[in-house]
C-alpha cells in the first residue's frame, strides 16, 4: 500500500540538496540586498520618508507609497530590527524546504511587489470605513506573506508525494480508518495554518500605535491564494488543493466577521 510513509533520511538529504540548489545571486539578493534596502530607506531623512514613502490615507495621490511603505521604517528598534529578524527566519525555512525554483520566483515576485499594494489598498478601504486617516509603514505585511509561504512549503516538504495519495482511496483498501484519519489530519493542519493568519490579523495596541491587522492578514492570505493557484496548475493533488481552498475561504469569511464587529465597535465608541 503506497500510503504517505515518510523516510526522514531521504528528507534530510532533500534539505541538503535544497540548500546547495540556491545560486550565489539568490543568496545575495534575498539575504543581503533586501535587508540592505530596508536599512537604506530607514536612513533617509524623515521628511523624505513622510512625503514619498509612508502611506497616508489622506494623500492617496502618492501612489508610490502603496509599494514603498512596506519597505519603510522610522524606528530602528524594535520595528526594523524585529521585522528583519522575522524575515530572515522565515526565509531560512524557505531556503531549507523549497525545491521548486519556479514556484519560489513566482511567490517571491508576488510577495515583494504585489502584496504591499494589496495590503495598502485594504488599509485604505478599512480606515475609510472608520472615517479616519492613518499612516502606515513597515515590512510586516510582506513578512506575513513569507510566513504563510514558509509554513506551507514545510508541510509540502514534510508530506511530499503523500499529498497525492488522498485522491486514491484504493491505496488504502486494507485500512480505510487510516485513510480517513490521515485526511482529517490534513484538514486540521491546514486549519491551523489559516488560524495563524487570523491571529496575525488581530489589531493590537503597540505602544501608542495600532498594529495594521488587515495588512498582516492580507499578506498572509494572499500568499496562500497564490500558492494554491500554482499548486492547482502544476500538481495533481485534488484533495489537498480542495481542502486548502476551503480553509482559505473559511479564513476570509471568519476575518470578515471579525472586521464587521470591529467596525461596529469603533463606530459605536
Amino acid at each position: 500500500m503506497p500510503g504517505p510513509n515518510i523516510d526522514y533520511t531521504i528528507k534530510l538529504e532533500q534539505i541538503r540538496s535544497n540548500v546547495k540548489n540556491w545560486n550565489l545571486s539568490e543568496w545575495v539578493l534575498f539575504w543581503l540586498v533586501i535587508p540592505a534596502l530596508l536599512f537604506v530607506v530607514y536612513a533617509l531623512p524623515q521628511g523624505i520618508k513622510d512625503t514619498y514613502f509612508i502611506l497616508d490615507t489622506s494623500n492617496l495621490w502618492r501612489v508610490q507609497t502603496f509599494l514603498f511603505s512596506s519597505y519603510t521604517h522610522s524606528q530602528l528598534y524594535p520595528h526594523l530590527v524585529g521585522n528583519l529578524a522575522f524575515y530572515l527566519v522565515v526565509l531560512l525555512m524557505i531556503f531549507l524546504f523549497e525545491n521548486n525554483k519556479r514556484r519560489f520566483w513566482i511567490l517571491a515576485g508576488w510577495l515583494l511587489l504585489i502584496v504591499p499594494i494589496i495590503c495598502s489598498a485594504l488599509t485604505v478601504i478599512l480606515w475609510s470605513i472608520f472615517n479616519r486617516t492613518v499612516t502606515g509603514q513597515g515590512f510586516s505585511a510582506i513578512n506575513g506573506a513569507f510566513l504563510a509561504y514558509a509554513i506551507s512549503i514545510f508541510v509540502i516538504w514534510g508530506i511530499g508525494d503523500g499529498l497525492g495519495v488522498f485522491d486514491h482511496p484504493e491505496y488504502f483498501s486494507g485500512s480505510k480508518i487510516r485513510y480517513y484519519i490521515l485526511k482529517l489530519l490534513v484538514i486540521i493542519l491546514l486549519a491551523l495554518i489559516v488560524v495563524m493568519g487570523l491571529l496575525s490579523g488581530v489589531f493590537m495596541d503597540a505602544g501608542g500605535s495600532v498594529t495594521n491587522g488587515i495588512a498582516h492578514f492580507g499578506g498572509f492570505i494572499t500568499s496562500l491564494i497564490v500558492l494554491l493557484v500554482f499548486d492547482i496548475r502544476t500538481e495533481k493533488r485534488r484533495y489537498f488543493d480542495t481542502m486548502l481552498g476551503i480553509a482559505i475561504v473559511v479564513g476570509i469569511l471568519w476575518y470578515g466577521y471579525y472586521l464587521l464587529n470591529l467596525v461596529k465597535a469603533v463606530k459605536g465608541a
Side-chain angles (χ1 to χ4, degrees):
M1 178 183 66
N5 298 312
I6 300 173
D7 187 331
Y8 288 100
T9 301
I10 295 177
K11 289 298 179 183
L12 292 175
E13 183 57 38
Q14 287 177 353
I15 291 178
R16 286 192 286 267
S17 176
N18 291 344
V19 172
K20 293 178 181 178
N21 194 38
W22 302 102
N23 58 49
L24 179 60
S25 62
E26 290 162 337
W27 283 99
V28 170
L29 174 60
F30 290 94
W31 289 87
L32 294 179
V33 173
I34 291 177
L37 175 63
L38 297 180
F39 279 105
V40 167
V41 175
Y42 165 75
L44 292 174
Q46 190 61 45
I48 292 178
K49 288 189 286 190
D50 289 338
T51 303
Y52 299 105
F53 287 83
I54 295 175
L55 178 70
D56 185 342
T57 59
S58 66
N59 291 290
L60 297 183
W61 59 270
R62 297 175 182 171
V63 292
Q64 79 281 356
T65 63
F66 278 61
L67 174 62
F68 293 169
S69 59
S70 286
Y71 295 88
T72 305
H73 300 81
S74 297
Q75 181 189 63
L76 178 61
Y77 182 85
H79 198 200
L80 172 55
V81 172
N83 275 340
L84 183 56
F86 189 94
Y87 164 74
L88 294 176
V89 170
V90 294
L91 182 65
L92 177 61
M93 288 182 62
I94 294 169
F95 269 54
L96 290 176
F97 303 120
E98 178 62 277
N99 62 359
N100 187 321
K101 285 290 190 73
R102 180 166 175 261
R103 176 170 57 199
F104 171 77
W105 278 105
I106 290 175
L107 265 293
W110 269 86
L111 305 194
L112 293 171
L113 299 175
I114 307 301
V115 159
I117 297 173
I118 292 174
C119 293
S120 294
L122 291 173
T123 300
V124 170
I125 292 170
L126 179 63
W127 288 96
S128 67
I129 295 174
F130 288 149
N131 292 319
R132 300 185 184 184
T133 60
V134 297
T135 59
Q137 58 183 303
F139 202 67
S140 53
I142 296 175
N143 270 344
F146 270 102
L147 174 63
Y149 178 25
I151 296 173
S152 300
I153 288 303
F154 175 72
V155 170
I156 292 172
W157 166 84
I159 303 179
D161 295 335
L163 289 173
V165 305
F166 297 112
D167 298 333
H168 302 280
E170 66 274 12
Y171 292 167
F172 297 82
S173 57
S175 181
K176 288 292 185 181
I177 294 179
R178 180 170 179 254
Y179 173 65
Y180 289 113
I181 289 176
L182 290 173
K183 290 181 73 171
L184 178 61
L185 290 176
V186 170
I187 294 173
I188 294 173
L189 192 59
L190 294 177
L192 290 175
I193 292 175
V194 173
V195 166
M196 186 174 295
L198 291 170
L199 293 175
S200 73
V202 175
F203 287 82
M204 295 184 296
D205 183 13
S209 62
V210 177
T211 59
N212 192 359
I214 195 169
H216 299 170
F217 178 77
F220 193 97
I221 210 71
T222 298
S223 180
L224 290 183
I225 292 172
V226 176
L227 186 66
L228 172 62
V229 172
F230 181 88
D231 209 70
I232 291 173
R233 293 175 63 89
T234 60
E235 304 290 345
K236 295 181 178 179
R237 36 197 183 207
R238 186 172 62 254
Y239 176 78
F240 173 75
D241 289 335
T242 300
M243 292 301 103
L244 178 56
I246 292 173
I248 290 171
V249 171
V250 171
I252 292 173
L253 293 175
W254 198 304
Y255 192 70
Y257 178 73
Y258 163 73
L259 288 181
L260 180 62
N261 285 292
L262 183 63
V263 169
K264 289 180 179 178
V266 170
K267 288 196 168 185

